[in-house]
Amino acid sequence: MTRTGDARRGAIVDRAVHIASVEGIEGLTLGRLADALRMSKSGIQTLFGTKQELQLSIVSAASRVFERDVLLPAERQPAGLARLRALMSLWIGYLETFEGGCFFVAAASELDGRSGPVRDAVADAVARADALLQREVELAVRLRELPSDTDVEQLVFELHAMVLQANHDRQLLGRKDALARARNAVDRLLEQQTGDAASPSR
């Protein structure tokens, strides 16, 4: 594909992620995207071939945005709790990136009972994010900024749950304070953990 074709494809995918976050990735057909972009369906099909290829491109694009807006900025922070806090704050902020909230929350809810390459791509992206969060928690434990007996998987579960709840409250219930509450919840949980680490009984 030419550079012009790559640029057109990238621009189309960028718009498609926003639409899919609102309307669902399954409902985003080549025809629906063509209508939204005021292009011909054949023009979209020339660039993507099939609906599945379009869907996989959307998942990849959403992953790149997550990496750009969350992972890379967090990695600039000092290892340990500072980086973990930054990761969580950026992840919560990411919920405002797409028109329909977190793309992966929407796609996971839509595809979790199905099978196929698109569902697998979404599951893989979510698993990678969880693995990254677990790595940062484990690093904070090794640096003794969290208690040595921290239940890492439980803490990861609770931190991720706060992101999911924030997205739910913001998108479904229209609660404007959802992101602030999520950040407060993360701070409170980590302060509890670090308080345990400082306890003489530890």
Side-chain angles (χ1 to χ4, degrees):
M1 185 176 291
T2 66
R3 289 185 180 180
T4 301
D6 286 340
R8 288 183 64 202
R9 182 183 170 108
I12 291 168
V13 170
D14 287 347
R15 181 62 188 139
V17 178
H18 285 278
I19 297 172
S21 72
V22 175
E23 300 182 11
I25 195 168
E26 277 294 298
L28 185 58
T29 62
L30 297 176
R32 168 68 184 93
L33 184 57
D35 290 343
L37 297 174
R38 297 181 180 178
M39 294 178 60
S40 67
K41 181 179 177 180
S42 61
I44 299 287
Q45 196 160 20
T46 297
L47 292 171
F48 294 98
T50 65
K51 176 182 176 180
Q52 180 172 287
E53 184 180 347
L54 170 63
Q55 291 172 323
L56 291 172
S57 297
I58 289 170
V59 175
S60 294
S63 295
R64 289 193 298 272
V65 171
F66 186 82
E67 180 178 0
R68 180 195 70 200
D69 292 354
V70 180
L71 304 189
L72 294 179
E75 286 178 356
R76 299 188 189 107
Q77 299 301 314
L81 272 178
R83 185 181 297 167
L84 179 59
R85 290 181 187 278
L87 174 64
M88 291 306 303
S89 181
L90 290 161
W91 197 339
I92 292 166
Y94 167 82
L95 302 181
E96 296 184 292
T97 300
F98 300 119
E99 293 170 15
C102 179
F103 167 81
F104 290 105
V105 172
S109 297
E110 187 178 5
L111 301 174
D112 59 4
R114 305 188 185 190
S115 61
V118 180
R119 186 264 186 197
D120 292 345
V122 171
D124 183 62
V126 172
R128 289 199 308 272
D130 252 6
L132 172 73
L133 182 54
Q134 179 162 332
R135 185 190 74 187
E136 296 303 333
V137 172
E138 289 173 343
L139 181 56
V141 172
R142 289 200 300 274
L143 293 172
R144 298 182 180 181
E145 294 183 349
L146 288 174
S148 59
D149 61 351
T150 296
D151 186 336
V152 172
E153 292 187 3
Q154 181 64 31
L155 182 54
V156 169
F157 181 93
E158 292 177 14
L159 289 171
H160 198 175
M162 291 171 183
V163 176
L164 299 179
Q165 184 66 37
N167 191 76
H168 172 277
D169 283 10
R170 180 175 180 270
Q171 292 302 128
L172 184 63
L173 303 180
R175 292 178 177 166
K176 296 181 179 180
D177 62 347
L179 304 192
R181 288 191 177 279
R183 289 192 173 97
N184 289 340
V186 168
D187 287 343
R188 183 177 299 179
L189 178 60
L190 293 180
E191 284 169 8
Q192 178 185 356
Q193 296 290 320
T194 54
D196 289 345
S199 172
S201 63
R202 298 282 179 180

